[in-house]
Amino acid sequence: MINRYSSRRSKLSQAFLNEKLKNAVSYDRIAGYFCSSILEIAGESIENVTGKVRIICNSSLNAEDVQIAAYANLRMKQEWCEYLPEEKYFDENSALRLRKLYALLSSGKLEIKVMPDEIYGLMHGKAGVITYRDGSKTSFLGSINETKSAYTVNYEMLWEDDSPEAIVWVQEEFDFFWNSRYAVNLCDFVITDIDRISKRVVIPLKDWREDSDDVVPAVAVEETVYRRDFGLWEHQKYFVELAFREHKQKGGARFLLADMVGLGKTIQLAMSAKLMALYGDKPVLVIVPKTLTYQWQEELKTLLDMPSAVWTGRGWIDENGYEYPADSNRSILKCPRRVGIISQGLITRKSEAAELLKQLKYECVILDEAHRARRTNAAKDPDLHKAQPNNLLAFLNEITFQTKSLLLATATPVQINPIEVFDLLHALSLPNEATKVLGDKHSIWRKRPQTALNYVSGNVDVPTLESEMWEIVRNPFPQKIENNRRIEIIRNQLDISDDTFVLPQNMYSELRLAQRQKIKELYFDDNFVQNHNPYIRSIIRRTRKFLEETINKETGEYYLEKIEVELFGEKDEEALELMGYLYQAYKTAEEFSTLLSSRVKGGGFMSTLMLRRIGSTMLAGENTAKKMLAWTAEGKERIKDLYDDLFDEDDEDDEERRSEIKELTLEEVRCLEKLVKVLKNNRDTDPKYERVLSILQNGVNDEGAWKDKGCIIFSQYYDSAKYVAELLSKDLKDTRIALYAGGDKSGIYEKGNFRKETKENIKKAVKNHELKILVGTDAASEGLNLQTLSTLINLDLPWNPTRLEQRKGRIQRIGQISKKILIYNMRYKDSVEDKVHLKLSERLKSIHDIFGQIPEVLEDVWIAMAQNDEKRAEEAINKVPKRHPFELKYEQNILKTQDWQSCTFVLNKEEKLKELLKGW
């Protein structure tokens, strides 16, 4: 029988849905668009279906999103959170509806699958099959979606047909979609979040500050990074909870975060800073390299909805780009936001503005890339007592007294000498309230740092005399948070509060025998010096290897999904040949570098610039020579303008390398002119570009074309990146090529034509699989998520080795759609890069394995090799310690964190924003 229904004639919720679901044992539905509001008008009817209710509906997932289950779940989570369900379901009716939906989903009675829109477009063909207890069935189709408004507000029509032919036809359509390889089950996060939102309670800021069990999740659970980005990993949540818990205690939070590159130090620090800013009422100061100031501001805004202001020297700029001009240097004390971000260069130059900052009291101070705060000559002066702190370390030693919490971050706390990490911890420990770091002024950890470091490093045996043992243990004595049962027992038995860090010297002699025995067991049996020394208590360090190979007992999953890395270009036969005109050009560049470095004191960096640039692309080499000739002709006294033109960055730490070269000699000028002529005549046949094009089209071995997998191509130099992007656009005519660079130079090439585009739109297009080839400068090496790309080509190898790790971190990160990423490192045979690679690669690898990345100081190795000084290069690299001086305490396990995902108490969003908008 055929029945026709119109919402104009009757309420379809009563006349059709509720009526037809009576005595139903199953319900299969192609919904098009599904919303929980359907349960408000048909919840009981669906609940009373004795068997399964299966619904297939649309999703904005891409076809490529669903190829890997973990990424499909992540994207589905993001889609759900972008819908802002916490803002749409806020009344009691909504909560009741969600509780019903959760009960149906968690019991398995209701199953929902989603289908990417792009597979068959939007599901306008809405239909269903209902099966009854007596075995009879009916089918229907029409315009109606499975929503409350569709059944009660919209004008809709339905056509019911219970004929066998119609039922079979509709069932076949449903089964086709339900069993499609593109159909994805509703992810667990969405189901759990439905339950959370149904119980959600908004609490005022005042109550949160005074009393809340879920203090951290209450702030964090609805942050953008947690819901609409890639979430927070367990090790990140651990640090945030630890830092905030300590911030509320005596002495505040004083930690050095030393996670490997790519493990998200910035977001850990930023989330901690937000919690501290909301908990207290004082300013938060963030000190970062100049190149990272706006990246920090952008991440605070997009990931944490956290306003901030950046000091430019001319005033403050807030997160919306609004400028607050300075009328004097004192304007730095009038930051318009709770969080102020300044450049390290402000401090290294000992500016007046930096001095003024010492007048304020802070809730928290953060120093990113903290290894730059060190002794000026620790690498050269064997008498470390004479080594003086550089300006950044001196500033740190003063500002530490002005802040409740101090958080430092660097992946390489030791660059040359372990004493460098003592200096950082010493800065953390200086205030009287911070004795938990290194103890008081009588502590051996503070008075005899080299001796203590020798104990920790295993260079000398630890003392066995009880008197010496007691001095090592008591000052500072660890807190209960060390997760050691003996520490907890000792503190409880001796009635020592957890905010007492230095135990009296004479206490040990007054202890009972059993109490002394417990301390001995802590020292000897628990290996106190290795497992509980002040360094590993204050240094939080996790490695990717540990996270990828360790299972979280709570979830049964690895702490981090493993992403394998396959490197190409490492073998000798994979290096590009320096032949013909290229060989001639490179030899001419070497001649120029030798001439310049031999007569200019401290000119090693700039004299080798030509070799760096010609090793990138022929165009870059030609541009360098032309600019040097023009610079000489104009009589400029500094090379700064040349540096700024050639690099897509502005790093104040390279200021000392910008040598004063007043003029070039006639011989040097002739070298440059010869170089320009050779390169200009042969620029159209660039070997590196030809190799890039081949890899993109054909792959390297049998892994397939890299352009199909998605690829980012890195160069240090904007002109090289632009040159490659332009040529690729012409050779890959049907492929859009993105150029990602500093300033407003980013854009998209399409069939050879360029249009400017914002970085945000480029990132969005990559995320949605609309862009598969990205050519970027090192402006793209930090703070950029490129999980949809699984291959990377380094057109040139940066002479600051840390950049290689930062580049790799763009694709080796959570949410990567492939189990393996492919990386090709390009270099010319017999070039400087090749010499370093062949002679020092094994040593570099061992250093990388120890530290997680290569120390920045090894840039000197490249300069020495460029100047054919192999002995100096070996000396530089051999100064780096052969092993990490600290046991990796956080490689043993990651302590359990609170249940963020199920947190039902959330902080009032408007109050959070209002608090953070307050100025200094």
Side-chain angles (χ1 to χ4, degrees):
M1 176 187 292
I2 294 176
N3 295 312
R4 303 173 183 85
Y5 298 87
S6 165
S7 60
R8 183 176 63 83
R9 300 172 184 271
S10 59
K11 288 187 176 181
L12 296 182
S13 58
Q14 295 301 323
F16 178 75
L17 186 60
N18 286 325
E19 185 64 30
K20 291 298 176 182
L21 288 180
K22 287 179 181 178
N23 300 317
V25 294
S26 69
Y27 177 29
D28 289 345
R29 175 76 156 102
I30 303 173
Y33 173 69
F34 172 80
C35 179
S36 65
S37 63
I38 187 63
L39 298 174
E40 191 170 314
I41 50 96
E44 290 184 9
S45 301
I46 292 177
E47 286 175 317
N48 291 331
V49 174
T50 56
K52 293 275 188 185
V53 176
R54 301 188 298 176
I55 298 176
I56 184 83
C57 54
N58 273 131
S59 166
S60 64
L61 293 174
N62 294 96
E64 293 177 69
D65 289 338
V66 304
Q67 290 177 3
I68 295 177
Y71 194 69
N73 289 338
L74 183 65
R75 294 288 287 119
M76 200 184 310
K77 166 195 166 183
Q78 292 171 344
E79 183 181 0
W80 163 256
C81 293
E82 284 166 3
Y83 177 64
L84 297 177
E86 65 273 15
E87 296 182 9
K88 293 183 171 61
Y89 304 111
F90 56 86
D91 57 18
E92 187 53 39
N93 284 336
S94 298
L96 180 61
R97 193 164 70 237
L98 289 179
R99 282 195 283 273
K100 286 182 179 181
L101 178 58
Y102 175 73
L104 290 169
L105 289 168
S106 59
S107 68
K109 173 173 278 191
L110 174 60
E111 293 181 7
I112 298 175
K113 287 188 178 183
V114 298
M115 174 75 75
D117 295 344
E118 66 177 39
I119 302 301
Y120 292 99
L122 295 175
M123 288 184 172
H124 286 300
K126 302 163 183 78
V129 174
I130 302 172
T131 303
Y132 297 99
R133 294 175 187 172
D134 60 4
S136 63
K137 299 184 177 185
T138 190
S139 66
F140 65 91
L141 57 84
S143 61
I144 197 165
N145 272 314
E146 205 77 356
T147 66
K148 176 184 176 182
S149 59
Y151 278 98
T152 60
V153 178
N154 300 346
Y155 172 69
E156 307 281 0
M157 292 191 296
L158 274 176
W159 191 283
E160 181 192 7
D161 188 343
D162 62 2
S163 68
E165 296 83 3
I167 292 167
V168 168
W169 187 73
V170 174
Q171 189 68 53
E172 285 179 348
E173 291 298 305
F174 174 85
D175 290 344
F176 173 82
F177 289 111
W178 187 260
N179 297 319
S180 169
R181 66 189 179 98
Y182 295 108
V184 181
N185 289 315
L186 197 65
C187 70
D188 290 340
F189 176 90
V190 174
I191 296 173
T192 302
D193 204 50
I194 287 170
D195 182 46
R196 184 190 71 82
I197 294 173
S198 73
K199 303 170 184 175
R200 181 175 180 266
V201 177
V202 178
I203 57 175
L205 180 62
K206 181 176 178 293
D207 291 353
W208 174 79
R209 284 172 169 171
E210 292 177 356
D211 181 31
S212 174
D213 292 333
D214 298 319
V215 286
V216 174
V219 175
V221 70
E222 291 184 358
E223 296 290 0
T224 302
V225 65
Y226 194 71
R227 295 180 64 75
R228 280 173 278 166
D229 198 69
F230 291 93
L232 288 176
W233 312 342
E234 199 68 14
H235 72 279
Q236 294 175 318
K237 291 191 286 186
Y238 170 79
F239 178 80
V240 173
E241 290 185 10
L242 174 67
F244 186 56
R245 181 172 64 242
E246 286 298 295
H247 179 72
K248 295 187 292 180
Q249 306 301 320
K250 178 183 176 182
R254 291 183 170 260
F255 293 109
L256 171 57
L257 180 59
D259 285 345
M260 277 183 65
V261 168
L263 296 184
K265 290 188 290 296
T266 301
I267 194 61
Q268 295 177 71
L269 296 169
M271 180 71 84
S272 302
K274 182 166 187 176
L275 286 157
M276 295 173 189
L278 292 171
Y279 185 76
D281 57 4
K282 297 183 183 66
V284 172
L285 177 66
V286 180
I287 308 167
V288 301
K290 184 175 181 180
T291 52
L292 299 184
T293 52
Y294 289 106
Q295 178 194 315
W296 259 83
Q297 185 176 55
E298 181 67 14
E299 290 199 21
L300 290 177
K301 178 182 177 181
T302 58
L303 298 181
L304 296 178
D305 192 24
M306 188 172 177
S308 64
V310 171
W311 177 257
T312 66
R314 299 179 301 277
W316 291 98
I317 296 182
D318 70 19
E319 71 286 352
N320 298 313
Y322 185 81
E323 297 187 28
Y324 301 77
D327 50 24
S328 70
N329 281 324
R330 293 197 64 82
S331 296
I332 199 170
L333 302 179
K334 299 177 182 178
C335 178
R337 298 288 185 262
R338 178 64 63 83
V339 177
I341 305 169
I342 68 166
S343 161
Q344 288 181 2
L346 195 72
I347 297 164
T348 58
R349 295 192 301 271
K350 294 196 74 171
S351 66
E352 181 186 350
E355 292 299 307
L356 289 167
L357 288 171
K358 299 174 187 176
Q359 299 178 8
L360 297 180
K361 292 286 187 180
Y362 300 93
E363 197 72 31
C364 176
V365 172
I366 292 173
L367 175 61
D368 200 4
E369 303 297 340
H371 59 270
R372 298 182 180 186
R374 55 179 181 259
R375 304 185 186 206
T376 54
N377 54 355
K380 300 175 183 177
D381 187 356
D383 187 356
L384 292 173
H385 294 292
K386 294 181 180 178
Q388 295 299 310
N390 64 10
N391 290 341
L392 187 57
L393 181 57
F395 179 87
L396 192 63
N397 287 337
E398 294 183 67
I399 204 73
T400 186
F401 292 98
Q402 301 299 106
T403 182
K404 181 175 183 182
S405 289
L406 178 60
L407 302 178
L408 313 178
T410 172
T412 51
V414 176
Q415 293 280 309
I416 289 294
N417 193 304
I419 202 68
E420 293 167 333
V421 82
F422 164 77
D423 290 335
L424 294 178
L425 261 62
H426 184 252
L428 294 176
S429 72
L430 284 172
N432 291 332
E433 299 82 10
T435 51
K436 60 184 171 184
V437 181
L438 288 176
D440 64 18
K441 63 182 181 179
H442 303 295
S443 163
I444 71 159
W445 301 99
R446 193 194 293 264
K447 286 176 62 178
R448 296 159 55 197
Q450 198 65 63
T451 300
L453 283 166
N454 285 334
Y455 291 156
V456 174
S457 302
N459 295 332
V460 298
D461 294 334
V462 298
T464 56
L465 290 176
E466 286 189 53
S467 58
E468 293 178 285
M469 171 200 73
W470 177 241
E471 285 303 312
I472 288 173
V473 171
R474 75 170 185 90
N475 190 3
F477 190 75
Q479 297 168 278
K480 293 178 184 177
I481 61 171
E482 286 297 295
N483 200 35
N484 178 284
R485 181 64 178 152
R486 284 197 178 96
I487 292 172
E488 186 175 349
I489 290 172
I490 292 170
R491 279 193 174 271
N492 289 340
Q493 286 185 350
L494 302 182
D495 194 25
I496 304 168
S497 66
D498 221 28
D499 61 358
T500 297
F501 309 114
V502 179
L503 308 187
Q505 189 174 27
N506 61 357
M507 175 185 279
Y508 188 77
S509 60
E510 299 173 359
L511 296 179
R512 297 194 305 272
L513 187 61
Q515 293 171 332
R516 291 188 193 180
Q517 185 60 34
K518 275 280 182 278
I519 292 172
K520 289 180 183 178
E521 289 171 356
L522 174 64
Y523 185 77
F524 293 106
D525 296 351
D526 293 350
N527 201 350
F528 180 89
V529 171
Q530 292 298 313
N531 296 322
H532 301 288
N533 69 73
Y535 286 92
I536 62 172
R537 299 203 312 250
S538 298
I539 300 173
I540 315 298
R541 176 179 169 78
R542 284 73 57 97
T543 66
R544 176 174 288 278
K545 185 174 186 291
F546 167 74
L547 295 173
E548 289 181 340
E549 296 179 357
T550 307
I551 291 179
N552 183 347
K553 294 177 182 178
E554 296 295 318
T555 64
E557 303 287 337
Y558 289 103
Y559 281 111
L560 191 61
E561 187 172 355
K562 187 170 185 177
I563 303 169
E564 293 184 23
V565 180
E566 185 171 0
L567 281 176
F568 298 93
E570 297 296 294
K571 299 175 183 176
D572 188 49
E573 63 268 22
E574 290 177 317
L576 283 74
E577 292 288 339
L578 278 168
M579 299 174 64
Y581 79 92
L582 185 57
Y583 178 82
Q584 183 184 2
Y586 200 86
K587 286 300 177 184
T588 304
E590 283 187 323
E591 182 184 351
F592 171 81
S593 296
T594 301
L595 289 169
L596 191 61
S597 59
S598 66
R599 70 176 186 86
V600 179
K601 185 178 179 181
F605 181 79
M606 291 310 302
S607 67
T608 56
L609 176 62
M610 183 66 71
L611 294 175
R612 301 173 65 178
R613 298 266 295 159
I614 201 172
S616 174
T617 59
M618 298 300 101
L619 177 70
E622 181 186 343
N623 286 346
T624 311
K626 285 181 176 178
K627 286 180 182 292
M628 280 189 168
L629 287 169
W631 159 71
T632 304
E634 294 168 13
K636 294 182 181 177
E637 291 192 355
R638 291 186 58 80
I639 202 94
K640 180 181 184 300
D641 293 334
L642 169 66
Y643 181 98
D644 292 340
D645 284 346
L646 300 181
F647 287 80
D648 191 44
E649 59 183 275
D650 182 16
D651 192 344
E652 66 271 6
D653 290 321
D654 283 320
E655 183 70 27
E656 63 189 50
R657 299 190 181 277
R658 299 176 185 178
S659 310
E660 294 190 10
I661 307 172
K662 295 187 176 181
E663 61 182 9
L664 297 178
T665 66
L666 181 60
E667 195 175 3
E668 289 163 357
V669 169
R670 284 175 177 169
C671 264
L672 293 177
E673 290 174 341
K674 178 181 177 182
L675 191 59
V676 170
K677 184 177 180 180
V678 172
L679 294 176
K680 186 176 181 180
N681 293 336
N682 297 279
R683 191 199 308 158
D684 294 336
T685 56
D686 191 294
K688 282 200 172 181
Y689 173 73
E690 297 298 327
R691 180 67 60 89
V692 168
L693 182 61
S694 173
I695 294 171
L696 291 175
Q697 292 179 319
N698 308 308
V700 181
N701 293 331
D702 56 356
E703 74 283 350
W706 286 26
K707 67 182 179 64
D708 297 332
K709 301 175 183 295
C711 184
I712 179 165
I713 303 156
F714 271 110
S715 173
Q716 297 174 86
Y717 314 109
Y718 173 72
D719 50 1
S720 287
K722 184 172 182 288
Y723 168 68
V724 168
E726 285 178 347
L727 291 182
L728 286 176
S729 180
K730 293 172 183 176
D731 287 329
L732 302 175
K733 292 184 173 56
D734 297 327
T735 304
R736 296 164 69 207
I737 311 293
L739 176 63
Y740 196 101
D744 63 348
K745 296 180 285 190
S746 300
I748 294 175
Y749 285 92
E750 202 158 2
K751 296 181 179 178
N753 297 315
F754 178 77
R755 74 170 189 277
K756 283 192 174 182
E757 190 56 88
T758 65
K759 292 187 182 71
E760 280 306 306
N761 285 341
I762 290 175
K763 287 190 281 187
K764 186 185 238 182
V766 172
K767 179 180 177 180
N768 293 332
H769 307 278
E770 296 163 7
L771 276 170
K772 288 206 162 189
I773 298 181
L774 186 66
V775 185
T777 66
D778 281 315
S781 69
E782 297 169 328
L784 189 59
N785 298 321
L786 300 172
Q787 289 88 339
T788 59
L789 311 179
S790 58
T791 68
L792 183 155
I793 298 173
N794 285 310
L795 189 69
D796 45 57
L797 301 181
W799 286 23
N800 181 336
T802 60
R803 289 292 173 91
L804 280 177
E805 288 298 315
Q806 291 163 344
R807 290 177 179 183
K808 185 179 71 169
R810 297 316 97 214
I811 61 175
Q812 190 186 20
R813 57 198 306 115
I814 191 170
Q816 171 54 243
I817 63 175
S818 299
K819 296 289 185 183
K820 180 195 288 187
I821 59 172
L822 311 176
I823 298 176
Y824 198 110
N825 292 331
M826 290 192 172
R827 70 186 195 282
Y828 285 114
K829 190 171 180 59
D830 297 326
S831 66
V832 178
E833 292 88 343
D834 193 44
K835 292 174 185 176
V836 172
H837 180 270
L838 293 176
K839 188 170 183 62
L840 305 173
S841 60
E842 283 304 310
R843 182 75 176 99
L844 287 168
K845 182 180 184 304
S846 67
I847 292 173
H848 178 277
D849 289 343
I850 292 170
F851 291 93
Q853 74 178 72
I854 298 170
E856 288 182 5
V857 294
L858 293 184
E859 186 173 339
D860 295 334
V861 174
W862 296 76
I863 295 174
M865 291 297 289
Q867 297 175 335
N868 293 314
D869 192 342
E870 294 187 12
K871 182 180 179 181
R872 181 157 57 93
E874 287 185 7
E875 288 175 353
I877 202 166
N878 287 331
K879 285 178 181 177
V880 180
K882 299 282 192 298
R883 64 183 293 263
H884 200 291
F886 319 114
E887 287 293 323
L888 300 182
K889 167 187 172 182
Y890 300 96
E891 299 288 75
Q892 297 170 18
N893 67 309
I894 294 177
L895 302 182
K896 184 179 178 182
T897 61
Q898 298 180 52
D899 183 4
W900 291 31
Q901 187 167 317
S902 302
C903 178
T904 56
F905 292 96
V906 296
L907 199 56
N908 183 283
K909 186 175 181 180
E910 289 72 27
E911 278 193 276
K912 283 197 293 184
L913 185 59
K914 182 180 178 182
E915 193 69 21
L916 295 170
L917 285 171
K918 292 179 180 178
W920 294 2

